[in-house]
Amino acid sequence: MGEKNRQWVLARRPDGHRYADAVELVDGETPDLADGEVLVRNIYFSLDAGTRMWMGPREDSYSPATPLGSPVVSTVLGSVVASRHPDFRSGDLVRAYGQWSDFSVVRPDEVYAERVTRRLADPRQHLGVFGANGWTAYLGVLEYGAAQPGETFVVSAASGVTGALAGQIAKLHGCRVVGITGSAAKSAWLTGELGFDAAIDRGAGDLERALRETCPGGVDVYFDNVGGPVLDSVLGNMALFGRIALCGLLVHYDHDEALPGPARFDQILMKRLTVRGFFSPDFYHRGPDLNRSMRPWYDEGKLRMAFDVTPGIENTLDAYAKLFTGDKIGKSLVQVSDPDD
Ligand SMILES: NC(=O)c1ccc[n+]([C@@H]2O[C@H](COP(=O)([O-])OP(=O)(O)OC[C@H]3O[C@@H](n4cnc5c(N)ncnc54)[C@H](OP(=O)(O)O)[C@@H]3O)[C@@H](O)[C@H]2O)c1
C-alpha cells in the first residue's frame, strides 16, 4: 500500500489562457518503484511559464507536449524516500524533473536528477540561483548574449526569476542594466534592492520611446523573456551589432498557433544583429560548474533571489496564474511538505 499522493494531471488540451480547465487534482497513491526509479517527497515544486506551452496543443515547441492523462512535469526539490537507483539513497536531497504532486517518481537515467547539498542556508536557492534559472541567466548573459563590460544590457520580465538573475549577473559583469517590468513597485525593487541602473514599467506608456530615452546609445544586449510587443519595442532600439539572447517567449505560450512576427524583423539586418535561442536542458550538465562560478557572488550577497512561495498543492493554479498577471516577484514555488520532515 503506497502513501497518499495528490497529483495535478493534464486531463485535456487547454483552450488559450484557460489552462486551469485542462488540469485536475487527482487523489492517488505512490507506486511500487521499478529498477532505476527513485521516489522523492516533494518539498517544493517549481512554477514555470513553459509548462503552459507543454500542456499543448502545440507540438512544435522545444519539448514534446505532455501526454494526456499524465502528471504535469516540473522541477522539484525534495527528499528521497525510496530508491532503486544505485546513485540515490533515502534521505538524499535532490533537485530533479518531477511532478506537480506530493511525491515525484524520478528516473535519473532518463531525465535530469541531481543530489544537492543540505548545507545551503536557504535550500530554495537550489531552485533559484543554483538551479536551471540561474544557469540560464548566467549563460544567457555571458555566452549567448556575449555581454561586455560597459555595454547597455536590457532584460524583460525583469522581476521574474530568470530576468532578475540575468540583470544582476550583467551588472556584476560591468554592464549598464535596464529592466523592463510590470509595475512601478517592481521597478523600485529592481533599482533599489537589486542594483539595476534603471527600470521601465512596460504598462506606463510608450515603451519604445521610454527605451530610447533610457538607452540613448542603443541596446547592446537584449535578454528576451517574453517576445511580442516588448520585443518589437526593443528591436527598434538595438545598437549596431547588438545581440539578442532569446530565452523565452512568454506571451506566445498560450496560443494554439505560432504567433507571426516580430514586426521589426527588419532591424536584424539594418543593425546587423545576432539572435541566439537557448534552452536549459542543453546545458544542465554544466550546472555544477556554473554553480561554482556563481557561489562567490551569492556568498558575498551580490546575487540574490526573492521567492513567491504558495503553501498547499490545492493552491497551485492560483499561484500559477500570477506568472501571467505578473502579480508576484521572484521565483514562484509551491510548498507541499516541510523541509525538515
Ligand atoms: N530558455 C530556457 O531554457 C528557459 C529557462 C527558464 C525560463 N525560460 C523562459 O524565461 C521566461 C521567464 O521565465 P521565469 O521563470 O524567469 O519568469 P517568472 O518568474 O515566471 O515570471 C514571469 C514574469 O513575466 C512577466 N510577464 C508576465 N506577463 C507578461 C506579458 N504579457 N508581457 C511581458 N511580460 C510579462 C512578469 O514580470 P514583470 O512584471 O517583471 O514584467 C512575470 O512576473 C519565460 O518565457 C520562460 O519560458 C527559459
Side-chain angles (χ1 to χ4, degrees):
M1 187 77 169
E3 290 208 54
K4 180 179 169 190
N5 187 24
R6 294 163 299 169
Q7 291 193 314
W8 284 100
V9 169
L10 185 66
R12 55 197 73 85
R13 297 288 171 211
D15 175 13
H17 69 278
R18 294 164 56 90
Y19 57 83
D21 298 340
V23 291
E24 292 175 359
L25 186 59
V26 173
D27 285 331
E29 284 181 5
T30 55
D32 293 333
L33 295 181
D35 276 346
E37 290 184 337
V38 177
L39 186 65
V40 174
R41 179 192 293 112
N42 294 338
I43 304 167
Y44 303 102
F45 58 76
S46 170
L47 300 179
D48 300 280
T51 301
R52 165 62 193 87
M53 185 164 49
W54 299 326
M55 291 178 186
R58 284 185 62 178
E59 294 284 352
D60 60 348
S61 91
Y62 44 34
S63 286
T66 302
L68 290 179
S70 306
V72 177
V73 171
S74 75
T75 16
V76 304
L77 180 73
S79 297
V80 173
V81 291
S83 175
R84 292 189 62 183
H85 190 286
D87 298 340
F88 293 83
R89 295 205 191 100
S90 281
D92 286 345
L93 185 66
V94 297
R95 174 185 49 226
Y97 263 128
Q99 296 94 38
W100 279 7
S101 53
D102 290 313
F103 292 85
S104 288
V105 177
V106 174
R107 298 180 189 87
D109 295 337
E110 293 175 22
V111 292
Y112 167 78
E114 187 188 349
R115 274 185 290 125
V116 294
T117 177
R118 287 188 181 273
R119 291 199 304 272
L120 202 57
D122 183 352
R124 300 176 302 182
Q125 293 293 2
H126 288 302
L127 295 171
V129 172
F130 301 117
N133 297 106
W135 308 334
T136 302
Y138 188 92
L139 292 179
V141 173
L142 298 176
E143 292 193 5
Y144 298 103
Q148 302 301 319
E151 288 191 325
T152 296
F153 177 95
V154 171
V155 57
S156 54
S159 76
V161 54
T162 315
L165 289 170
Q168 291 176 83
I169 291 166
K171 186 72 193 160
L172 286 161
H173 190 55
C175 297
R176 177 169 180 270
V177 172
V178 178
I180 300 173
T181 189
S183 71
K186 290 180 177 185
S187 295
W189 181 69
L190 294 170
T191 53
E193 297 287 319
L194 299 192
F196 282 37
D197 296 284
I200 300 173
D201 175 359
R202 61 184 149 82
D206 183 340
L207 178 58
E208 188 158 350
R209 182 172 162 189
L211 280 162
R212 196 158 50 245
E213 289 169 1
T214 312
C215 310
V219 177
D220 297 298
V221 180
Y222 175 44
F223 191 113
D224 189 10
N225 282 314
V226 299
V230 175
L231 172 59
D232 282 324
S233 297
V234 183
L235 272 169
N237 280 288
M238 290 298 295
L240 200 60
F241 301 114
R243 283 86 64 204
I244 297 180
L246 187 49
C247 174
L249 291 169
L250 184 141
V251 302
H252 295 229
Y253 295 162
D254 61 4
H255 288 260
D256 295 353
E257 309 283 338
L259 287 180
R264 303 305 310 276
F265 184 82
D266 65 328
Q267 293 300 297
I268 296 172
L269 172 62
M270 304 312 164
K271 303 278 180 50
R272 279 83 96 199
L273 306 179
T274 302
V275 182
R276 291 192 68 186
F278 50 101
F279 182 41
S280 50
D282 297 339
F283 44 77
Y284 277 177
H285 62 283
R286 296 178 61 185
D289 284 343
L290 298 173
N291 285 347
R292 270 189 289 278
S293 300
M294 290 188 284
R295 186 69 195 243
W297 290 335
Y298 175 75
D299 287 344
E300 291 165 22
K302 295 176 177 167
L303 186 57
R304 294 187 279 152
M305 181 41 53
F307 291 89
D308 187 77
V309 179
T310 298
I313 192 170
E314 64 281 7
N315 300 317
T316 300
L317 294 183
D318 290 339
Y320 194 65
K322 294 200 266 177
L323 270 58
F324 301 96
T325 61
D327 185 24
K328 58 98 188 171
I329 279 182
K331 174 71 186 173
S332 297
L333 301 173
V334 172
Q335 181 166 4
V336 287
S337 71
D338 196 307
D340 299 322
D341 281 352

